[in-house]
Amino acid sequence: MKLRIAKLPGDGIGPEVVEQAVKAVDAVCRKFGHEVEYTFGYVGACAIDRFGNAYPEETHNICMNSDAVLFGAVGDPKYDNNPTAPVRPEQGLLAIRKQLGLYANLRPVETFKGLVEKSPLKKELVDGADFLCIRELTGGMYFGEKGRKDNGDTAYDTCIYSRNEVERILKLAFEYAMRRRKHLTVVDKANVLESSRLWRQVAKEMEPQYPEVQVDYMFVDNAAMQLIRCPKFFDVMVTENTFGDILTDEASCISGSMGLLASASVGAHTSLFEPIHGSYPQAAGKNIANPVAAILSAAMMFEYAFGLMEEGKAIREAVAASIEAGAVTEDLAGDGKALSTSAVGDWIASRI
Ligand code: IPM
Ligand code: MN
């Protein structure tokens, strides 16, 4: 198969971790006889510096003409403490999601043998936890009307959802539940928010179409607690954009490090694969960041964008082997035993 991949490393540790994902992709393509072609695009702060736009049209065209997008991270501290900055790196990520119509963000949470000790939660709580968070990605407060009034002294962001937006993400969630353990948890704040009441109404209407799926409804504050009290309760969790952003950062610590959590964003056009950890500017250029989330995002790319399950599995097995062998970066290693980002990438690629 010929794979046309848009490579968008972005900012911070993005380039370092994406480079390791590329090594894994190349190794898999050699092993299984695929041809791969990368096209580089600017996104985030590096795109602002060069084009004054966090998601330039040129990058959008590259994505539209590719089969998958391999994404690093965006963000730069020089924008974080400047509330009046006219353009921000994060706008690049929001624009790419919106323009590619990526309404669903899939964030699987798994535990690795040998890493349960690294979780801040008790071993018996996390051992065997395995669930999929499905976060709505192009609606809600992120994209609703926002602004200032009263001379800038009042600010607002609107959480808005249409039936169509809710239906398509819930349909996906029911379908994933059917392929997994048939247990779906719909997370909302229906006791307070009107938009949540629409989500719950639509989910209840859809339930009869999936009689085998057991559906629970959970308020988001309770879900935040259950995630750490009893992570094994969950199979598929679906929620709106902002709740999903917050809950998936929380869920990432179940596996032991945020550097392990991969994601796929799917929807109307080219799917995008990115680690959930962000740009981690303190580590940028130091060759210390964990590349596993980016490498597992590449595994998701093979599975979700190309339907190449064996290829994805080859990456997953190599990652599991690296963890078992203790070939890990400093977030997971014992004192003095850490490997560099590139050394972990080399280890995994050569194992593949
Ligand atoms: C994420 C990130 C982004 C988000 C930021 C960088 C805009 O935190 O992908 O979870 O809030 O969606
Ligand atoms: Mn986030």
Side-chain angles (χ1 to χ4, degrees):
M1 196 186 244
K2 173 147 193 206
L3 320 178
R4 293 173 310 159
I5 298 175
K7 189 173 85 172
L8 275 53
D11 309 318
I13 58 167
E16 295 159 59
V17 297
V18 167
E19 200 184 309
Q20 312 317 314
V22 165
K23 287 179 191 168
V25 171
D26 288 344
V28 166
C29 286
R30 274 196 301 275
K31 186 178 161 94
F32 290 87
H34 301 299
E35 193 187 329
V36 58
E37 179 190 291
Y38 301 98
T39 312
F40 172 90
Y42 289 95
V43 69
C46 63
I48 297 176
D49 292 344
R50 191 169 270 256
F51 303 99
N53 179 346
Y55 183 49
E57 205 180 310
E58 184 192 295
T59 306
H60 181 59
N61 291 335
I62 292 170
C63 294
M64 289 298 284
N65 291 315
S66 301
D67 304 314
V69 181
L70 209 47
F71 194 96
V74 294
D76 189 300
K78 73 180 176 213
Y79 297 93
D80 289 347
N81 297 318
N82 176 9
T84 60
V87 281
R88 318 184 64 82
E90 289 78 6
Q91 288 165 345
L93 186 52
L94 302 185
I96 195 170
R97 289 171 178 170
K98 197 67 171 179
Q99 290 183 40
L100 294 178
L102 305 174
Y103 63 83
N105 184 219
L106 312 172
R107 297 184 164 181
V109 178
E110 297 150 338
T111 47
F112 292 90
K113 244 197 304 177
L115 274 192
V116 279
E117 309 284 348
K118 296 286 173 191
S119 172
L121 304 182
K122 286 197 196 101
K123 183 174 183 295
E124 60 272 23
L125 287 183
V126 297
D127 198 5
D130 172 14
F131 57 95
L132 175 66
C133 296
I134 302 184
R135 167 186 174 195
E136 201 292 326
L137 204 58
T138 51
M141 244 197 314
Y142 275 64
F143 294 95
E145 194 186 326
K146 59 181 83 227
R148 298 274 184 119
K149 50 188 186 182
D150 306 330
N151 290 324
D153 290 334
T154 302
Y156 58 93
D157 298 274
T158 316
C159 183
I160 180 162
Y161 272 105
S162 67
R163 169 178 284 273
N164 170 43
E165 288 173 310
V166 176
E167 254 168 20
R168 65 184 180 185
I169 188 88
L170 286 173
K171 180 167 183 285
L172 200 84
F174 274 108
E175 285 167 1
Y176 273 99
M178 281 301 291
R179 281 189 243 160
R180 294 177 49 104
R181 300 191 301 275
K182 300 188 171 62
H183 177 201
L184 176 64
T185 306
V186 180
V187 174
D188 62 28
K189 188 72 185 171
N191 50 348
V192 177
L193 302 177
E194 199 54 44
S195 53
S196 285
R197 286 193 276 271
L198 176 64
W199 273 70
R200 201 173 274 219
Q201 177 191 337
V202 172
K204 289 215 184 277
E205 286 170 15
M206 290 171 80
E207 267 189 53
Q209 294 170 43
Y210 304 89
E212 287 170 56
V213 178
Q214 185 210 323
V215 187
D216 298 314
Y217 296 87
M218 197 181 270
F219 295 140
V220 63
D221 45 353
N222 184 24
M225 176 179 73
Q226 300 305 340
L227 265 180
I228 51 170
R229 199 185 75 91
C230 184
K232 281 185 256 190
F233 170 83
F234 297 98
D235 175 22
V236 177
M237 168 195 282
V238 64
T239 192
E240 67 90 43
N241 203 345
T242 307
F243 295 162
D245 178 46
I246 298 167
L247 292 178
T248 51
D249 263 36
E250 184 190 0
S252 76
C253 74
I254 293 168
S255 332
S257 167
M258 219 184 170
L260 296 169
L261 232 66
S263 84
S265 300
V266 302
H269 302 292
T270 321
S271 301
L272 178 148
F273 302 86
E274 67 172 314
I276 87 149
H277 52 57
S279 60
Y280 190 16
Q282 304 85 337
K286 294 190 183 155
N287 203 17
I288 56 171
N290 190 341
V292 165
I295 294 172
L296 289 175
S297 298
M300 291 185 86
M301 177 182 78
F302 280 103
E303 295 158 353
Y304 289 68
F306 301 113
L308 298 172
M309 309 315 275
E310 284 302 311
E311 286 78 345
K313 198 169 145 211
I315 297 181
R316 291 179 189 286
E317 281 174 0
V319 166
S322 72
I323 289 169
E324 243 160 86
V328 293
T329 43
E330 65 175 25
D331 51 322
L332 297 172
D335 282 345
K337 295 207 183 107
L339 295 191
S340 66
T341 307
S342 53
V344 171
D346 290 337
W347 199 105
I348 291 170
S350 75
R351 177 71 178 216
I352 292 169

